[in-house]
């Protein structure tokens, strides 16, 4: 016999949520038996079989630690560490060209992730709705390729980074927008979708989406630059025949105004990580080809004028937007949606960028914690800053000596030239002197 709460907490430790659509039947049976017995329910073998029957494959994989992230609790706590270390990151300015963006507090900060097996984790303000803004561009492009095909879409749009601002009035040598991640490209793709009969807001990734009408109206009212781009594209005959330029712009503004939360955005990112199949419904919503194209273009053009550096330092496909969102894809592993409104000089979320670049400190701390001396040596040899601190100003020395096992003192030796600066530290110095 096990209690329902035991079962649910064991399930959560695998990273699966009870709201997972794949577990609907299982949860329905559990709820029903709880209602019937009006109190704490002990699940016996018969009830257990009934509950898990329809989901036996997924649950077996989860409990046998066969999902893509086997030890999800450790992974989630690493993620939380990254979240908290990034929270302290100050600076940047919240976009204020429309009131719907200006209203957000600079302190808002959320990260949600969803793996290709539908394991999920969230930290911070992950239920607050915000507009996708430019993060919609890869989704729009993916849908266009899925519906219309690569060849047709790229008759109208290039594939090369522009080296210019995202809203520049500029075309490539063939008089096409440089790529789908800049405004000109996204507006032309809007017209392709419109001509194909997508009326108004489409069903993006087959999810139910809301559009923020106020944002849409404000985008339209303040959209002189986008109207200028629209007229320039029209003059240069960039639109398909029968296209209505104003309708295409309207559609583009609607797309920018689609509201998501970190939680829902992470499932969209995970669909891209999973080759076009939504991890929590199992439905194919994009072709593999559409996803491959999209990830390539996110990789080379997704982060405004920081795209090259982001590709160099992080090496993962990502797209950011003026709302402070960063949609990050770890192909075949997971999708992440980060959101924090303050933006840096080029328009990327300050915390979003920090979070994406911040993996070395977690790896370092984890190696120190688990006494993985060979990993520590590797970090030292590859010029990782061994004095990097976590969100509590603890160095690897602190973690190795305060949290590691005594047998892990090899780790401490590697750190022994470092002084720990953590205000919470009463361990490192004594441990090191004991060792010496
Ligand atoms: N609505 C904005 C524009 O088209 C999107 C800006 C962005 O997120 O890059 O200018």
């Amino acid at each position: 016999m096990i209690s329902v709460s035991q079962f649910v907490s064991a399930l959560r430790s695998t990273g699966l949520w009870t709201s997972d659509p794949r577990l609907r039947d299982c949860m329905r049976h559990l709820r029903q038996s709880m209602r019937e017995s009006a109190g704490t329910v002990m699940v016996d073998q018969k009830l257990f079989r009934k509950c898990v029957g329809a989901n036996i494959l997924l649950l077996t994989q989860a409990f046998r630690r066969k999902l893509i992230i086997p030890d999800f609790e450790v992974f989630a706590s690493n993620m939380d560490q990254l979240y908290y270390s990034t929270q302290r990151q100050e600076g940047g300015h919240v976009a204020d060209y429309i009131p719907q963006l200006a209203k957000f507090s600079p302190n808002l900060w959320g990260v949600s992730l969803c793996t290709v097996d539908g394991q999920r984790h969230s930290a911070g303000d992950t239920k607050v709705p915000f507009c996708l803004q430019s993060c919609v561009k890869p989704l729009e492009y993916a849908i266009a390729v899925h519906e219309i095909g690569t060849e047709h879409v790229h008759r109208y749009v290039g594939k090369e980074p522009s080296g210019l601002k995202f809203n520049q009035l500029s075309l490539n040598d063939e008089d096409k927008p440089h790529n789908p991640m800049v405004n000109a490209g996204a507006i032309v793709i809007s017209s392709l979708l419109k001509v194909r009969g997508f009326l108004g807001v489409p069903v993006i990734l087959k999810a139910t989406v809301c559009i923020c009408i106020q944002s849409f109206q404000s985008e339209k009212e303040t959209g002189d630059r986008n109207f200028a781009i629209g007229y320039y594209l029209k003059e240069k005959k960039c639109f398909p025949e029968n296209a209505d330029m104003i309708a295409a712009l309207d559609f583009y503004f609607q797309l920018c105004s689609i509201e998501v939360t970190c939680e829902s955005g992470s499932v969209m990112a995970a669909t891209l990580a999973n080759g076009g199949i939504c991890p929590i419904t199992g439905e194919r919503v994009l072709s593999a080809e559409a996803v491959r194209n999209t990830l390539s273009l996110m990789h080379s053009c997704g982060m405004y004028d920081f795209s090259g550096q982001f590709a160099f330092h992080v090496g993962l496909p990502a797209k950011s937007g003026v709302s402070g969102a960063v949609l990050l894809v770890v192909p075949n592993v997971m999708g992440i949606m980060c959101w924090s409104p303050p933006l840096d000089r080029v328009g990327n979320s300050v915390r979003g960028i920090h979070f994406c670049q911040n993996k070395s400190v977690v790896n370092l701390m984890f190696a120190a914690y688990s006494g993985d001396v060979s990993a520590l040596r590797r970090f030292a040899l590859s010029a990782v800053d061994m004095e990097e601190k976590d969100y509590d100003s603890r160095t690897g020395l602190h973690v190795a000596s305060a949290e590691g096992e005594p047998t892990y003192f090899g780790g401490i030796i590697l750190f022994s030239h470092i002084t720990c600066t953590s205000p919470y530290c009463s361990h490192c110095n004594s441990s090191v002197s004991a060792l010496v």
Side-chain angles (χ1 to χ4, degrees), residues 213-228:
I213 298 295
Q214 292 87 345
S215 292
F216 164 60
Q217 263 155 1
S218 298
E219 285 290 338
K220 210 161 141 169
E221 280 157 22
T222 60
D224 293 341
R225 166 67 64 135
N226 287 320
F227 280 97

Side-chain angles (χ1 to χ4, degrees), residues 134-153:
S134 278
C135 289
V136 82
K137 288 175 174 134
L139 307 178
E140 180 197 22
Y141 169 72
I143 290 171
V145 171
H146 179 77
E147 298 289 341
I148 308 171
T150 306
E151 195 275 325
H152 188 82
V153 170

Side-chain angles (χ1 to χ4, degrees), residues 129 138 432 435:
V432 172
L435 184 72

Side-chain angles (χ1 to χ4, degrees), residues 420-433:
C420 182
T421 51
S422 169
Y424 311 103
C425 183
S426 58
H427 306 276
C428 324
N429 292 332
S430 52
S431 304
V432 172
S433 32

Side-chain angles (χ1 to χ4, degrees), residues 80 83-84 87 109-112 122-128 262-263:
D80 286 344
Y83 171 85
Y84 288 114
Q87 191 168 35
W109 167 224
V111 181
S112 291
S122 279
D125 304 302
T126 54
K127 291 185 190 296
V128 184
C262 287
E263 282 187 6

